[in-house]
């Protein structure tokens, strides 16, 4: 397997983008498909490791060396099969995953790692364009009915898994379209929504029922739900936004990132006709607070709106350029990263603490006062450094501070309880204290990656199937072997 | 008597090797002198034998002579008939008188029943005082019985048969009786012509013990003597040799198969001379619990009774390698071919002197693995022995010196007073019957079987389902099958194995995986089927056997298959065969899935019933098939079906009537096939693999080969793989491997094994049919699970880690934790790592994982010896510079030197610059210097700088195999260290060519001890059943340290099949060695070391409690240095710069000595915590305290609960004074070494570097002469030694083995006389000369002057040999220039440098594996191009510089030896110079050209 010394012969190639000035004119994806020969060469860099840390580093356990080898050998369809063995939606992860696999790639010890995510993406895209990905309709039906609440990646993965073994699956979504955060949280320039629709159509053909605008506990009673379905799987996500409790947070112009992005996504999708000034960055001084991926998405979106200036604050200190002793391979590298949105124009500040929003007489945000901050190991908190105060012009502040946990309404009503991390409680088999209710995804583990959501959905499906049928032929992973 | 089976000690695994010889009068003159001379021979061979712990009990010695009629006539108080008209029995009897009398009664009764007469009894006078304390415990009473014929007319043949029958029946009756001392009863001899005096004695005591032997009336014309070296000290009186017709120096590797096949032949025996009732009573022909030699003798005896002559019988039992012999006479070939249908070879190293009292002769095995030298004197004596020089003969009395050549025989016809040569004997015998015609009429080659057009119907189930039923994984395709299809070679892997044993695995396992291959180490050599292919054969025959008493062409009715891995088409030919002589029947090995394991039992019984039915109806080919599986019908494991049919039919006495063909979806890798053959199959059709190949070909996964080629390649790869597995245990022919069962079960219940795999050892119990069936059902369920049919075949994960695949000890988590811990020096992180390894929670991986510590007796940790003391017992493993990079290699050395542990050079030599400290005080010198079969860079200087010298007999990852360093890894630096040519690949042979047996190992230990008296000598063995017995032998051979490695150890490259399936875990090996050594009272003499995937302090603690006192680590320190288990060591592409020589990749090496030190420190600390809990203050207190271990309770896993480890924890009960750890030093007996005498005279000359000339007498007991002096010179002058020819030593006589071993520059050693084996071993710059004594009259180029394996591993220097050298001349020579006047087989094998000039004939297989150096061969009348192995060499044109070199060397030869041959050539140089042919390896030539170019480029730049 693999090409001997391929890693010496070829250098890493990352996916190339359209130039910034071209791509920020619209919300479309801006990646440039590499040539097939280039992809093969990238696959040739895979070393066929005796212990493939990538495969371990991937929460899904994607069989990375195996699909790389198939790509190298021009066996795209087989590569696709291998990819689908562990991953229901490579087209999502291939675009959005921060790629812990690449962080764990053994080649990363000595050289830039194998471009695993890119290869993954083009395997699945080739699968779609060649028409290899077809609905797989189960031969037999078990008659067991399962409701999945929430249609994010966890819910969708669970739905496909459970449907594949013949259960009758219904996905309930309170919003007006299927996809959860995928649809409303991720900007189109990173994931065009037709990509989601393409997959949803397949899932529908496989026999999964999708019902939108149904909010369990509100538009559908719990009693009704429990009596209709043998199993309820909650994949409701972690949706309580973290607030910034400082002065002026009430001012007009202080917005939550998820509100901002959702609004924009709905607009791009044509669900909103005229764009509200509230969420429009055009001509404004934008400060995005929070240095994560969501913050990055807000930067990209603001630039597309035509913001005057975009600034990004991160409270933590600027990470090192490369790994240090405390952060060795194969752990996730906490290093300085520049996303495509960063490339598009942003001023980034680290070790900075937002102290106070400043408004004008009309209650509109006009500025933000900050100070430099340092992490205090004793108090485990960021402490303001004296005499570092500064005021920034700011017309809109976007808070990309993450999520605190799942909404508590539903678990309370279902009487299934929360754990000490404020997530919904369950046992190691994803089952809550009510036997018919399972949970998966961010509502179980707190905010996380798409790849984890898919993994959670798959595992929950396995335990549900096992619970219903006694045994399960669905795949499951050996959790203790995770890195 | 031998101790009973206890703990891990199995008595059946004892081995023996020996010294043997005979003297006879050519003209049949009877003298008493022959006896004393013969006994003197034994005394001269004493170093080839061994002595037990009491220092007195030998392993056995004896002498066979003619019946001394005159002596007996005088001694007996009864009348004796004339000579040869009566028989004398030499009888051992119970010590208890009543029991002895009962035995006598039974025997006398049988004699009467055969109508023979007892003439009288004589008590044999013995002197019991000379018997050692161990031997005296079971010293038998010795009596002689005299038996007369029925009447005068009775023929000698009839008389002998009746004696045989009477003796056999008596033996069987007595051995099956309830007598407590029944095993004492034993006839050393019972013959009309010969008598044997033998016992558990050292040679010089035989004469003292048997008072008869001193009597001058005792005269004989012949005497056969033998002295035994058994691997342990449980030798018994009856196993002393000679046996009745022969004695044997060597070992029969195929014994188990030979014995079981002999049993199957018994059913067919019929003779007009023996009535049928008696015939049944003489069975078994081969008594149980006898040595291999004794078994061979019993069969030989039977063959003689059938009317065959002694030489003919010997030819049948130990045939020469005829199968691939291009120049062998047709009629002789036909004889062998015919007889191969009757008897499979008894294969293994063997020098067998034999006699029936009229003829005396000897024969050598096909490989020529034992030395056998003979001399004929002008005054009419023939002396044959393992060594030359055992009897003093004046030079002018020598008529000729000869040696036995591989597969050859020689015979002294004393009636005619001449020696009959091999050609003549064999030609006479092979012309007795028209064998060729018989063969043509009866033997049917598969190629001649017509195709009937009938075809096996296609399977109903789809491919995917069947793949799942039979447990195929993606890895099977990608890592096993496809590579074999492409390369026709076994796939290679590296870094050992770290997956659970089959019985611990949670994945359903094929039955094959519960067995491990056994292999040869020490007592016999593994073979080299690649380089020495001419002696191998993989053909098999099918059909039925016939009555041994018959002489008929019907014996040859056999279907012969050349490569018994057969295609679907070939199987169809046999399946539907229409032939008068052959009838095939197919039987399905399936069972009703719903009936579970009962279903299997039911089906198996039905199968046996069907087989019997078919046979009774005339079928002689049974095809066992697992086709036609279905949802209801599961396949029975084919190995189970095959073995059960094989054993059941043996029990039913019908096994000899048919051959088994396997048609199975199961076998895919060489191990599977080898096992099927090992348990009785004669041909195998892997039909599912064929389908897989077709599928992959269709899918275009098999690039560059046609489908037919792919299948042929696969079949060839399997055949090569099987050959390797056979060779591992020292077997050359598949015919004798078949049914030999050379495996150990690991994790199978003994009642299951006894029923289905009778006579296969299984020591830790485990699963049986019930669980086995569960595993089949699990696979069936997986296959027929419709819900999941979209996903493909399981990924595997055996060879490379996969999350859902097989578990691995070294996985992402453990590797990263270990690396993190050593880099940050955090003990807590190390503990996380060690917990993951130790607790094995959720998945047991190792035997030690199932053990726990008990009997806690905590003491404060401060009281435990400090870690700095403990790590002195730690070593890093043997990884050569070459297999790993300079950086990685030196890193380990520096680390170990800093903490006072030991690093190991590995087998690649060591750059001498490393012998001295660096400026910063660090030392890169490897304390342990390894001596492996390749002998790379093994010089006097290298050995001088060792604290410990390790002889690698085997390595865990691939015991019984050689190694290979691919050309691309041999960069100029490595080439320099290894004395080889850059970019030319290097091979180390499977065997050490100077260790074919235990006495050879003793010799090498002696040599190395001479080479460095301060260094400990260590012998590295690999765990397998019988390793304890071998360890006992090694202890007696005077090793200081015995290392027992686990099977799972890492390596740079190993066939995957060996990585997984050969050898056993160290837990078994250490425990067995400890138990056996303690039982033998040998434990105190040696240090026991353990290695093989030791990873934590807990591992060390367990090894120590089981008996180890030193500990080796390899993989773990490499991981600490940055290894990420890429498992690409064999590919030179290690990305972290460890197992690579690529300069760019080497830059990536990030390891530091501190990392390794931190690891060792952590391990020691963890160990100290355990010691504190258990209450041991030091390692010393802890060794061998297995009572502190117990088996974990509450393991109720369905597979694990049957495991029983009590044998591992067993402690033999011995007296208190018997040591359970090392307490004393070996006595290496160096005091009398000739070198000390030489040193006395040469001391000043060495110190002042002044020329000196000295003369000495030399005997064959003066061994390794020159080695100590060389060591002394190396110490003073280092690599440069002395100016050439400073110390000139002249010897006269016969030099002992290893003359001039490791002799350095400045030494010139000349011997007038001759030398034995291993002349110039490891020659390190010295000049060695052997010349015919002046007074001798024989021709030098027609007579042997030096023994086998001369100049093995020699690195530099010169040698001039005025005569013929034995087999394997200049093997692994890497720089010596040598001139010789003729050599035996396998000359210049594996040579990598130097020049060899041969002025006479060469044997077969010249230049096999030769990758460097040059050879010039004189074309004489015997010149035959077929003697060259052309795989790696070419005949070159002689250039002018060639003539210059050649002439100079021949002139040197003449000036040093006065050689007539050289003189003649030089005299006529203008003519003779054109009579030479030049040999040069192709790759070598290319490399030289490449180097020359590089040099030019350098000059230009």
């Amino acid at each position: 397997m693999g090409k001997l010394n391929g890693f010496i012969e070829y250098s890493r190639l990352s996916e190339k983008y359209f130039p910034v000035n071209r791509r920020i004119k619209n919300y479309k994806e801006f990646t440039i498909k590499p040539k097939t020969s280039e992809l093969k060469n990238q696959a040739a860099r895979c070393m066929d490791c005796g212990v493939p840390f990538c495969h371990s580093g991937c929460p899904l356990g994607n069989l990375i060396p195996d699909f790389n080898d198939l790509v190298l050998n021009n066996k795209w369809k087989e590569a696709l099969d291998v990819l689908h063995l562990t991953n229901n939606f490579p087209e999502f992860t291939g675009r959005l995953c921060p790629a812990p696999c690449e962080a764990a790639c053994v080649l990363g010890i000595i050289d830039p790692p194998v471009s695993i995510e890119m290869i993954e993406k083009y395997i699945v895209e080739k699968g779609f364009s060649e028409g290899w990905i077809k609905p797989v309709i189960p031969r037999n039906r078990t008659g067991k009915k399962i409701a999945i609440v929430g249609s994010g990646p966890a819910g969708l993965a669970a739905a496909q898994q459970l449907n594949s073994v013949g259960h009758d699956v219904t996905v309930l979504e309170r919003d007006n379209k299927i996809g959860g955060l995928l649809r409303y949280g991720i900007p189109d320039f990173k994931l065009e929504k037709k990509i989601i629709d393409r997959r949803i159509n397949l899932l529908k053909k496989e026999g999964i029922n999708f019902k939108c605008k149904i909010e369990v506990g509100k538009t559908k009673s719990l009693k009704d739900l429990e009596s209709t379905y043998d199993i309820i799987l909650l994949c409701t996500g972690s949706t309580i936004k973290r607030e910034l409790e400082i002065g002026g947070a009430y001012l007009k112009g202080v917005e939550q990132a998820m509100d901002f992005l959702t609004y924009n996504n709905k607009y791009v999708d044509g669900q909103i006709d005229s764009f509200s000034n509230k969420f429009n960055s055009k001509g404004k001084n934008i400060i995005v607070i929070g240095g994560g991926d969501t913050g990055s998405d807000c930067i990209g979106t603001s630039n597309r709106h035509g913001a005057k200036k975009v600034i990004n604050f991160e409270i933590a200190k600027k990470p090192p350029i490369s790994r240090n002793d405390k952060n060795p391979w194969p752990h996730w590298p906490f290093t300085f990263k520049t996303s495509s949105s960063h490339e598009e124009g942003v001023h980034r500040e680290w070790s900075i603490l937002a102290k106070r929003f400043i408004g004008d007489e009309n209650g509109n945000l006009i500025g933000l006062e900050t100070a430099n901050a340092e992490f205090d190991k004793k108090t485990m908190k960021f402490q303001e450094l004296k005499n570092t105060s500064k005021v920034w012009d700011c017309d809109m502040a976007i808070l990309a501070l993450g999520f605190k946990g799942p909404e508590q309404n539903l678990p309370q009503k279902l009487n299934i309880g929360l754990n000490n991390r404020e997530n919904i409680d369950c046992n190691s088999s994803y089952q809550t204290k009510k036997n018919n209710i399972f949970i998966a995804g961010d509502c179980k583990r707190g905010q996380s990656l798409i790849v984890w959501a898919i993994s959670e959905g798959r595992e929950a499906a396995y335990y549900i199937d096992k619970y219903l049928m006694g045994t399960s032929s669905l795949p499951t992973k050996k959790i203790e072997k995770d890195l | 008597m031998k101790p009973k089976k206890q703990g891990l000690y199995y008595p059946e695994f004892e081995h023996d090797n020996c010294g043997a010889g005979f003297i006879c009068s050519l003209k049949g003159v009877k003298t008493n002198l022959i006896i004393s001379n013969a006994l003197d021979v034994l005394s001269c061979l004493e170093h080839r034998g061994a002595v037990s712990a009491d220092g007195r009990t030998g392993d056995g010695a004896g002498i066979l002579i003619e019946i001394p009629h005159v002596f007996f006539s005088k001694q007996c108080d009864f009348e004796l008939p004339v000579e040869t008209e009566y028989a004398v029995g030499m009888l051992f009897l119970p010590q208890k008188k009543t029991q002895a009398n009962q035995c006598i009664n039974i025997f006398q009764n049988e004699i009467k029943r055969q109508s023979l007469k007892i003439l009288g009894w004589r008590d044999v006078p013995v002197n019991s005082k000379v018997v050692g304390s161990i031997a005296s415990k079971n010293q038998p009473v010795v009596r002689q019985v005299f038996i007369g014929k029925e009447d005068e007319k009775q023929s000698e043949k009839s008389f002998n048969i009746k004696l045989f029958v009477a003796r056999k029946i008596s033996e069987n009756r007595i051995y099956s009786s309830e007598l407590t001392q029944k095993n004492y009863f034993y006839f050393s001899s019972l013959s009309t012509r010969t008598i044997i005096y033998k016992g558990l004695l050292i040679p010089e005591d035989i004469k003292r013990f048997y008072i008869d032997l001193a009597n001058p009336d005792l005269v004989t014309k012949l005497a056969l003597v033998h002295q035994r070296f058994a691997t342990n000290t449980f030798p018994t009186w009856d196993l002393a040799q000679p046996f009745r017709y022969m004695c044997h120096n060597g070992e029969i590797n195929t014994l188990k198969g030979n014995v079981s096949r002999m049993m199957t032949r018994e059913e067919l025996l019929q003779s007009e001379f023996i009535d049928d009732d008696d015939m049944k009573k003489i069975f078994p022909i081969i008594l149980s619990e006898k040595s291999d030699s004794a078994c061979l003798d019993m069969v030989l005896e039977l063959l003689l009774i059938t009317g065959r002559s002694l030489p003919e019988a010997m030819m049948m039992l130990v045939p020469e390698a005829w199968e691939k012999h291009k120049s062998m006479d047709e009629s002789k070939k036909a004889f062998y071919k015919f007889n191969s249908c009757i008897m499979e070879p008894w294969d293994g190293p063997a020098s067998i002197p034999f006699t029936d009292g009229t003829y005396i002769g000897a024969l050598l095995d096909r490989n020529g693995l034992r030395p056998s030298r003979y001399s004929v004197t002008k005054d009419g004596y023939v002396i044959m022995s393992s060594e030359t020089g055992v009897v003093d003969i004046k030079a002018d009395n020598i008529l000729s010196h000869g040696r036995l050549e591989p597969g050859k025989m020689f015979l002294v016809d004393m009636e005619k007073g001449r020696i009959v040569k091999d050609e003549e004997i064999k030609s006479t015998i092979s012309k007795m019957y028209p064998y060729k015609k018989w063969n043509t009429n009866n033997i049917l080659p598969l190629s001649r079987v017509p195709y009937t057009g009938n075809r096996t119907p296609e399977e109903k189930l789809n491919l995917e389902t069947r793949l799942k039923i039979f447990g195929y994984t993606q890895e099977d395709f990608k890592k096993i099958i496809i590579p074999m299809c492409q390369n026709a070679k076994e796939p290679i892997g590296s870094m050992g194995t770290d997956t659970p044993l089959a019985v611990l695995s949670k994945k359903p396992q094929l039955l094959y995986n519960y067995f491990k291959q056994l292999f040869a180490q020490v007592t016999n050599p593994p073979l080299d089927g690649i380089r020495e292919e001419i002696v191998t054969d993989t053909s098999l025959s099918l059909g039925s056997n016939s009555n041994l008493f018959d002489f008929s062409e019907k014996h040859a009715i056999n279907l012969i298959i050349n490569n018994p891995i057969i295609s679907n088409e070939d199987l169809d030919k046999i399946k539907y065969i229409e032939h008068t002589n052959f009838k095939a029947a197919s039987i399905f090995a399936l069972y009703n899935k719903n009936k579970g394991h009962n279903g299997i039992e039911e089906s198996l019984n039905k199968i046996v019933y069907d087989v019997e039915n078919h046979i009774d109806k005339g079928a002689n080919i049974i095809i066992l098939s697992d086709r036609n599986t279905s949802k209801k019908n599961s396949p029975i494991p084919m190995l189970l079906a095959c073995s059960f049919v094989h054993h059941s039919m043996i029990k039913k006495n019908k096994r000899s009537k048919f051959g088994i063909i396997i048609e199975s979806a199961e076998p895919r890798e060489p191990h599977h096939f080898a096992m099927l053959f090992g348990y009785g199959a004669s041909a195998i059709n892997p039909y599912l693999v064929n389908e897989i190949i077709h599928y992959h070909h269709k899918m275009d996964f098999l690039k560059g080969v046609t489908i037919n080629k792919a299948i042929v390649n696969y079949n060839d790869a399997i055949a090569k793989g099987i050959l390797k597995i056979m060779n591992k245990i020292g077997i050359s022919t598949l015919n004798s491997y078949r049914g030999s069962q050379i495996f150990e079960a690991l994790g199978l219940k003994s009642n299951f094994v006894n029923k289905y795999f009778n006579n296969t050892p299984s020591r830790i119990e485990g699963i049986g049919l019930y669980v086995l069936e569960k595993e089949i059902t699990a696979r069936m369920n997986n296959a027929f699970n419709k819900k999941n049919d979209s996903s493909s075949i399981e990924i595997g994960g055996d060879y490379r880690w996969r999350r859902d695949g097989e578990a691995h000890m070294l996985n992402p988590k453990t590797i990263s934790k270990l690396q993190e811990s050593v880099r940050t020096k955090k003990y807590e992180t190390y503990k996380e790592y060690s917990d993951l390894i130790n607790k094995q929670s959720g998945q047991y991986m190792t035997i030690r994982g199932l053990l726990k510590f008990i009997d806690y007796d905590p003491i404060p940790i401060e009281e435990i010896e400090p870690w700095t003391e403990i790590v002195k017992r730690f070593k890093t493993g043997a990884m050569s510079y070459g297999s790993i990079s300079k950086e990685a290699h030196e890193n380990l050395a520096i680390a170990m030197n800093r903490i006072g542990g030991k690093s190991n050079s590995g087998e690649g030599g060591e750059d001498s610059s490393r012998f001295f400290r660096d400026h910063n005080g660090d030392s890169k010198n490897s304390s342990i210097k390894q001596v492996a079969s390749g002998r790379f860079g093994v010089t006097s200087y290298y050995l001088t700088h060792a604290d410990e010298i390790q002889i690698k007999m085997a390595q865990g990852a691939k015991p019984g195999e050689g190694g290979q360093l691919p050309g691309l890894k041999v960069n100029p630096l490595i080439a320099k260290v290894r004395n080889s040519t850059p970019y030319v690949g290097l091979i180390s042979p499977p065997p050490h060519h100077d260790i074919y047996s235990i006495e050879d190992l003793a010799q090498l230990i002696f040599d190395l001890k001479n080479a460095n008296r301060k260094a400990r000598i260590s012998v590295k063995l690999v765990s397998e059943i019988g390793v304890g017995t071998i360890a006992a032998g090694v202890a007696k051979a005077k090793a200081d340290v015995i290392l027992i490695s686990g099977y799972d150890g890492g390596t740079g490259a190993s066939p995957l099949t060996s990585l997984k399936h050969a050898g056993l875990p160290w837990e078994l090996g250490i425990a067995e060695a400890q138990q056996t050594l303690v039982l033998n009272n040998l434990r105190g003499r040696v240090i026991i070391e353990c290695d093989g995937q030791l990873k934590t302090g807990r591992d060390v603690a367990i090894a120590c409690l089981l008996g180890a006192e030193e500990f080796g680590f390899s993989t773990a320190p490499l991981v600490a240095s940055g290894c990420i288990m890429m498992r690409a060591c064999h590919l030179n592409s290690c990305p972290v710069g460890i197992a690579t020589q690529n300069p760019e990749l080497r830059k990536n090496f990030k390891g530091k000595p501190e990392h390794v030190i931190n690891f060792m420190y952590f391990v020691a600390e963890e160990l100290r915590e355990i010691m504190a809990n258990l209450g041991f203050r030091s390692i010393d207190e802890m060794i061998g305290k297995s009572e502190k271990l117990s088996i974990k309770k509450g393991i109720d896993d369905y597979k694990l609960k049957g495991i029983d480890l009590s044998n591992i924890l067993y402690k033999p009960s011995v007296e208190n004074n018997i040591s359970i750890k090392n307490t004393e030093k070996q006595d290496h007996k160096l005091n009398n070494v000739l070198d000390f005498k030489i040193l006395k005279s040469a001391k000043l000359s060495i110190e002042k570097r002044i020329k000196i000339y000295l003369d000495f007498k030399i005997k064959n007991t003066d061994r390794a002469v020159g080695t100590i002096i060389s060591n002394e010179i190396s110490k003073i002058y280092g690599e440069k030694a002395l100016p050439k020819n400073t110390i000139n030593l002249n010897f006269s006589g016969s030099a002992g083995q290893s003359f001039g071993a490791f002799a350095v520059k400045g030494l010139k050693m000349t011997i007038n006389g001759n030398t034995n084996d291993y002349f110039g071993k490891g020659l390190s710059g010295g000049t060695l000369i052997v010349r015919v004594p002046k007074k001798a009259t024989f021709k030098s180029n027609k007579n042997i002057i030096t023994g086998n394996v001369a100049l093995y591993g020699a690195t530099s220097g010169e040698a001039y040999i005025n005569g013929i050298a034995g087999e394997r001349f200049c093997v692994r020579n890497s720089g010596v220039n040598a001139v010789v006047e003729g050599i035996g087989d396998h000359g210049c094998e594996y040579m990598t440098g130097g020049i060899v000039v041969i002025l006479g004939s060469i044997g077969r297989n010249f230049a096999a594996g030769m990758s460097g150096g040059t050879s010039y061969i004189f074309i004489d009348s015997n010149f035959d191009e077929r003697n060259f192995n052309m795989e790696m060499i070419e005949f070159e044109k002689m250039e002018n510089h060639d003539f210059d070199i050649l002439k100079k060397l021949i002139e040197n030869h003449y000036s040093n030896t006065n050689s007539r041959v050289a003189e003649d050539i030089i005299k006529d140089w203008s003519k003779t110079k054109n009579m030479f042919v030049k040999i040069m390896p192709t790759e070598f030539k290319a490399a030289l050209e490449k180097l020359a170019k590089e040099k030019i480029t350098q000059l230009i730049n």
Side-chain angles (χ1 to χ4, degrees), chain A residues 374-391:
Chain A
E374 201 176 65
F375 190 70
D376 182 12
K377 280 183 185 164
K378 276 183 205 153
T379 58
M380 296 299 280
K381 277 181 182 162
F382 285 94
Q383 298 293 343
E384 181 184 336
L385 296 178
K386 280 175 192 166
N387 304 324
T388 57
S389 241
K390 189 178 172 182
V391 175

Side-chain angles (χ1 to χ4, degrees), chain B residues 750-885:
Chain B
S750 48
N751 60 9
F752 170 79
V753 173
N754 292 343
K755 178 162 181 192
Y756 298 105
F757 299 94
N758 188 21
N759 225 352
T760 303
S762 180
R763 299 183 291 172
I764 61 162
E765 296 296 310
I767 66 158
L769 202 54
Y770 177 76
V771 173
L772 204 61
E773 201 280 332
K774 275 200 146 187
E775 299 205 320
I776 301 166
T777 298
R779 293 201 303 268
M780 288 288 283
N781 289 343
N782 179 37
F784 287 102
N785 201 332
K786 287 203 176 131
K787 289 172 200 161
N788 201 23
D789 58 0
S790 66
S791 69
S792 49
I793 306 301
E794 272 197 46
I795 204 82
D798 271 314
Y799 304 105
R800 301 189 113 47
W801 180 87
R802 288 292 184 273
R803 179 146 58 187
D804 295 332
E806 187 56 274
H808 286 254
M809 305 273 277
L810 288 167
N811 53 48
K813 217 167 183 174
T814 50
I815 293 173
S816 51
K817 284 288 171 207
L818 174 57
Q819 294 190 340
E820 203 179 321
S821 71
V822 299
R823 285 173 193 165
T824 55
K825 205 178 176 183
K826 269 195 191 145
Y827 187 56
E828 311 87 75
T829 316
Y830 166 81
K831 285 290 276 189
E832 283 179 54
Y833 150 83
S834 72
D835 273 0
L836 286 167
I837 303 275
N838 291 339
K839 290 195 177 148
Q840 307 187 357
S841 54
Q843 164 88 69
Y844 289 106
M845 313 271 279
T846 54
I847 290 179
R848 54 193 177 278
L850 302 173
L851 295 173
K852 62 169 183 181
F853 302 111
I854 52 164
D855 197 9
Y856 279 36
D857 184 10
I859 49 173
I861 195 155
E862 297 72 38
E863 292 181 19
I864 318 295
E865 64 179 324
W867 76 275
T868 46
E869 279 305 306
I870 288 174
V871 293
K872 288 177 185 161
R873 296 172 180 268
F874 289 0
K875 301 167 168 182
T876 51
M879 295 171 275
S880 71
Y881 168 44
S883 79
I884 63 174
S885 65

